[in-house]
Amino acid sequence: MIKNIFLFICSLLFHSLQLLAQTDPFSGTWQMVYSPDAIMPGIKFQLQIGPSQQNILYPAHIFISCDSFFAEYDLLLAKKNIREVGISKNKFPRVQRPFGLKDRTLFLTGSFDLSKDLKGAPVLNFLRIHSKQKDIIATTEVNSDSAKLVAKLKHFLGDEDISLKKISSIPWHSENSDDILEPALSPTYFGLKDTVYLPTRDGVVNFSGIKKRKNDRVSVTLNGIVIFDKIDIEKKTQQSDILLRPGVNILTFFADNFGNDLPNSSRLNLEFGNKKFALDFANRKDSAAIFIAVKLICDPDKSKDRYFAEYPQSGPESLLKKDEKLVGGIKSVKQQLTLAIWDEVIDDGDTVSIKINNEWLIKGCPVKKTPKFITVTLQPGPNTITFLADNLGSIPPNTSVLEIIDGKRRKSYEMESNPGEKNLIKIFYDSGTPIK
């Protein structure tokens, strides 16, 4: 009896997965074998796509094998329209042997386009967007035979036509696939920002950051609906009112090309009541990315629980010295806060120093991908965090993320600075009156 019940549940689960796959043409397993000649082994390329989140974001997995080389990468896909999904800039390596591909962040820059072959079978064609990417090379020294293999992989990933046929409609799932859709849990940054809680459902979006004669084109979707479609924002000022639906909304900002001066450097500005933020392809971690996505929720009460109130700057405190830049300001009802500092992109030797109210918290601290936590005690009233870059590391400028945490609330700042520059964060500690 128990065995029959178990078999029934397995059968029901299997048919449920098949039904889900039938309603989503992207989910499933896609494959091709690249064999340019009969002498060298072919390259097997397999793309597994999981079930979507709101029919927009897809966790995905890549297998690449050729001769002795075998690799697996996690990535994120973002739906642009009914035919096309953008590919995340970063591909996180789960397995690479006997060597790795050093510039794995930039191979497969572009999107997959869904169509059918002459027999009517579904295919995914890779639409490449060329960028100023570095050569795809091995992470370790290789022998002469492996060098030929690296060159073959480089040619395939960087130049060859890639067309994948669907071999299974069952959505991909693994113990790590759900983490790809959660920025706080994902093993690397896949282009999905932390969820933003907003005070109102109605907002305004517009663009900035475009240089003349750059010819950048961008698209924007909200919950899968196109707001802007392949627009050249240099030619016309673009602005639109948007209205969020109740619950979770997904807004995605796409780079349609890299213009004349690679890569795309467009910036999408969003304003909801007193909440302002931006999605910016000029930021280092999103440079040469195809998309930036963010989940938006209108829940004023929840926003108070998760985020600090803003501390507006006015009067004498807003007067800055020549080498100072005000990054932002918050209000706190707790005297003790935690600062977390890390680099979301790469460990490149950056070091920083931090003061609070002219007293040193740390000096010459290396910025790693693993966060370093520092406890700070505020004085009543205004406080100033001073963030200084000690060097430029191996990849200028000095970049890091500084996050302020009080146990429930959090606020993060992306720092890009050069030696001699001071980034300031103002914190007003209200020791008696709760923040409203």
Side-chain angles (χ1 to χ4, degrees):
M1 179 68 179
I2 295 176
K3 181 179 179 181
N4 290 337
I5 294 174
F6 175 76
L7 291 173
F8 173 76
I9 293 173
C10 290
S11 177
L12 182 63
L13 178 60
F14 177 77
H15 288 297
S16 297
L17 288 173
Q18 282 192 319
L19 180 62
L20 176 63
Q22 289 173 2
T23 60
D24 192 324
F26 292 103
S27 295
T29 301
W30 306 77
Q31 183 174 292
M32 72 169 288
V33 177
Y34 171 67
S35 300
D37 55 62
I39 300 175
M40 289 193 67
I43 297 176
K44 182 179 179 180
F45 183 93
Q46 189 177 91
L47 172 68
Q48 294 179 303
I49 303 177
S52 70
Q53 186 171 78
Q54 296 193 19
N55 200 31
I56 298 169
L57 300 176
Y58 295 82
H61 192 75
I62 288 174
F63 289 91
I64 304 175
S65 64
C66 181
D67 198 6
S68 62
F69 177 77
F70 179 81
E72 298 182 35
Y73 303 94
D74 288 346
L75 66 156
L76 178 67
L77 305 177
K79 190 174 181 179
K80 190 174 184 180
N81 51 53
I82 60 172
R83 287 188 48 168
E84 194 174 341
V85 287
I87 304 168
S88 63
K89 173 184 174 181
N90 286 325
K91 292 87 181 171
F92 181 76
R94 290 292 176 188
V95 179
Q96 294 191 108
R97 61 174 187 260
F99 55 83
L101 300 180
K102 185 175 182 180
D103 292 308
R104 55 187 175 270
T105 58
L106 287 175
F107 76 70
L108 296 181
T109 301
S111 60
F112 288 112
D113 179 72
L114 178 65
S115 61
K116 293 183 178 180
D117 63 15
L118 296 176
K119 296 181 180 180
V123 293
L124 277 182
N125 294 310
F126 174 45
L127 304 180
R128 183 179 283 105
I129 297 181
H130 290 283
S131 65
K132 288 181 178 177
Q133 65 184 71
K134 299 176 183 177
D135 285 345
I136 298 171
I137 59 176
T139 55
T140 57
E141 288 192 20
V142 296
N143 57 35
S144 57
D145 291 336
S146 294
K148 292 179 182 178
L149 180 53
V150 171
K152 183 176 179 179
L153 290 167
K154 173 188 171 183
H155 173 73
F156 171 70
L157 295 170
D159 302 301
E160 192 56 57
D161 291 337
I162 296 177
S163 183
L164 307 170
K165 292 185 177 181
K166 198 167 197 178
I167 62 172
S168 171
S169 294
I170 299 176
W172 169 68
H173 187 78
S174 79
E175 61 181 4
N176 305 308
S177 56
D178 292 339
D179 294 349
I180 297 173
L181 298 171
E182 297 296 334
L185 301 175
S186 60
T188 191
Y189 172 65
F190 289 113
L192 179 60
K193 300 281 190 179
D194 285 335
T195 300
V196 178
Y197 289 83
L198 301 170
T200 178
R201 287 175 56 202
D202 58 298
V204 178
V205 297
N206 56 53
F207 301 92
S208 63
I210 292 300
K211 301 175 183 178
K212 289 185 178 181
R213 297 181 298 279
K214 201 170 186 310
N215 296 323
D216 282 342
R217 293 193 305 274
V218 295
S219 297
V220 180
T221 66
L222 177 63
N223 300 322
I225 299 173
V226 176
I227 301 175
F228 298 102
D229 186 25
K230 296 182 176 64
I231 61 166
D232 185 344
I233 60 178
E234 179 193 338
K235 295 181 179 179
K236 184 179 179 181
T237 301
Q238 299 284 347
Q239 182 167 303
S240 178
D241 297 327
I242 61 174
L243 180 66
L244 303 181
R245 66 190 182 193
V248 179
N249 299 259
I250 300 177
L251 185 139
T252 315
F253 185 32
F254 291 94
D256 294 308
N257 68 347
F258 288 163
N260 299 331
D261 180 19
L262 309 178
N264 196 306
S265 60
S266 309
R267 173 188 172 101
L268 179 66
N269 304 300
L270 300 100
E271 183 174 350
F272 290 82
N274 62 357
K275 180 71 175 180
K276 297 180 181 180
F277 60 103
L279 307 181
D280 192 351
F281 284 116
N283 286 341
R284 181 181 171 191
K285 66 179 181 178
D286 290 307
S287 178
I290 298 302
F291 68 83
I292 309 171
V294 63
K295 298 175 187 176
L296 306 175
I297 298 178
C298 178
D299 189 340
D301 294 333
K302 201 167 186 179
S303 181
K304 290 178 183 179
D305 291 338
R306 291 187 175 232
Y307 294 95
F308 293 98
E310 293 186 3
Y311 176 31
Q313 304 304 306
S314 60
E317 288 184 349
S318 64
L319 300 178
L320 302 175
K321 296 179 181 179
K322 200 170 184 179
D323 60 347
E324 295 178 336
K325 178 176 68 174
L326 182 62
V327 178
I330 61 172
K331 295 179 182 179
S332 175
V333 293
K334 290 191 175 182
Q335 189 170 22
Q336 277 202 333
L337 300 175
T338 299
L339 305 183
I341 182 169
W342 73 94
D343 193 327
E344 283 188 322
V345 184
I346 189 172
D347 294 347
D348 62 343
D350 290 340
T351 64
V352 300
S353 299
I354 300 176
K355 290 181 179 181
I356 181 168
N357 303 325
N358 288 321
E359 293 186 7
W360 289 108
L361 290 171
I362 55 171
K363 277 187 169 185
C365 175
V367 182
K368 303 290 186 180
K369 297 204 78 172
T370 302
K372 179 178 178 61
F373 297 96
I374 308 162
T375 301
V376 299
T377 302
L378 304 176
Q379 63 185 19
N383 297 259
T384 301
I385 300 287
T386 305
F387 183 97
L388 303 100
D390 297 323
N391 65 358
L392 293 177
S394 60
I395 308 175
N398 185 304
T399 59
S400 59
V401 176
L402 178 66
E403 187 167 49
I404 303 173
I405 309 163
D406 78 350
K408 292 194 306 180
R409 300 176 184 87
R410 50 189 285 207
K411 175 67 176 179
S412 62
Y413 297 95
E414 296 177 0
M415 302 292 194
E416 289 192 4
S417 52
N418 296 303
E421 297 175 351
K422 298 176 182 178
N423 290 316
L424 307 183
I425 300 172
K426 301 288 186 177
I427 304 177
F428 187 90
Y429 168 48
D430 190 339
S431 56
T433 307
I435 295 176
K436 296 182 179 180

